[in-house]
Amino acid sequence: MCAVHPSTRRSRPTVARSSSTRPTSRDVAQAAGVSQAAVSLVLGDKWRGRVSETTAERVREAARTLGYRPNLAARNLRLGSTRTVLLVVPALTTEFFAGVYTGAARVAARHGFGVVLYPSPEGVGPARDPFASAEAALDGVIASSMAADALTAIRGDQLPLVMLDSDPHGSLGAATVNLDIADGVRQVAEHLLALGHRHVLHLAADIPSWTFRARARELADRLAAVPGTRLRTATAPITIDDARAATETALTAPGPRPTAVVCDDDKLAAGAYKALRRLGLRVPDDISVTGLDDLALATALDPELTTVRLDAELFGERGMEALLAVLDGRAPAGGDIPVQLVVRGSTGPARDA
């Protein structure tokens, strides 16, 4: 083996390194000519008023040159924080909650947090604790009201909590973030009333949740304000087959047939479509149908579904921003997230208008 001449060693970078192959904060401090405390302040973004701008830039440049990355695990252990958030949702069977996760994770990543997604079994009801101690493993929780029963089992109600789709006057959480569901239902009702519909079937989700109670209440109030309107309600779990069965039963019951079906969810609307075909009825010539969510399914139906677009990713972003505000001791931003009626081919003038 050839010997390496000492002068060759001295030609390498003179920045001091610890014995570890991974650069440390001590290496950064030596390269920048500052203390390790100054490095911690600068890289923790707490330097303002304590370290000069010139020194801060020198520390950042040394960290970049050395390829230094903070040891987040050690930092979090010192701070008593895991920088991990639990997102509790009813289920992963729709793209809506995938969008909520995407938005929440995007904001979390910008702030050095990770998001663990946890679906409540069977959509609603108690869930097992996914951690030995949720309080020890998590910094906070974001939860849909439809999965609220899972919170006690995982002790999420004892952590900083933001509720999604939850009654702002009776929420378990330190903050609530809501889509403007009431306005979405109002837009649906006004659209159908303008088309001459006065007899409406509400195909409601059979889920005991604030968001679905709010939809039913708003629809009833809007229709009741117009003389000559009638509202019937049928309930079904959010599956296509259950929605089909419930719609068939409602439309074959004695009495005048509704001219429009207002569905709490696009999946329910798909089931209503199947029922109408089996009954020999055409959409929208014989009966109009609306949904709510604007899932990809809405444009796969024929005719394409008139529905209310909910921005799931923005919903997740706002939920995470609210939780970060709670963790920082700040007041979260207020105001519901706007929603938009998207009019497509499934609605038309009432046949008896």
Side-chain angles (χ1 to χ4, degrees), residues 88-89 118-121 124-128 146-156:
V88 185
V89 298
Y118 186 55
S120 177
V124 294
R128 294 180 181 177
M146 287 185 282
D149 288 343
L151 295 176
T152 302
I154 64 172
R155 293 189 289 283

Side-chain angles (χ1 to χ4, degrees), residues 247-334:
T247 305
E248 282 189 25
T249 299
L251 294 183
T252 54
R257 189 178 69 215
T259 63
V261 181
V262 174
C263 303
D264 273 352
D265 181 275
D266 290 353
K267 273 191 174 181
L268 294 177
Y273 269 50
K274 293 187 73 171
L276 295 172
R277 288 196 197 92
R278 290 192 179 198
L279 296 172
L281 299 172
R282 297 167 298 166
V283 179
D285 298 343
D286 299 311
I287 191 163
S288 290
V289 180
T290 67
L292 200 147
D293 269 348
D294 199 26
L295 305 176
L297 175 64
T299 54
L301 295 171
D302 186 20
E304 294 186 355
L305 181 66
T306 293
T307 187
V308 176
R309 179 172 295 156
L310 309 181
D311 192 332
E313 291 192 19
L314 179 59
F315 198 22
E317 289 179 0
R318 287 278 296 274
M320 180 56 67
E321 288 167 356
L323 182 57
L324 292 174
V326 170
L327 292 174
D328 288 344
R330 297 181 285 109

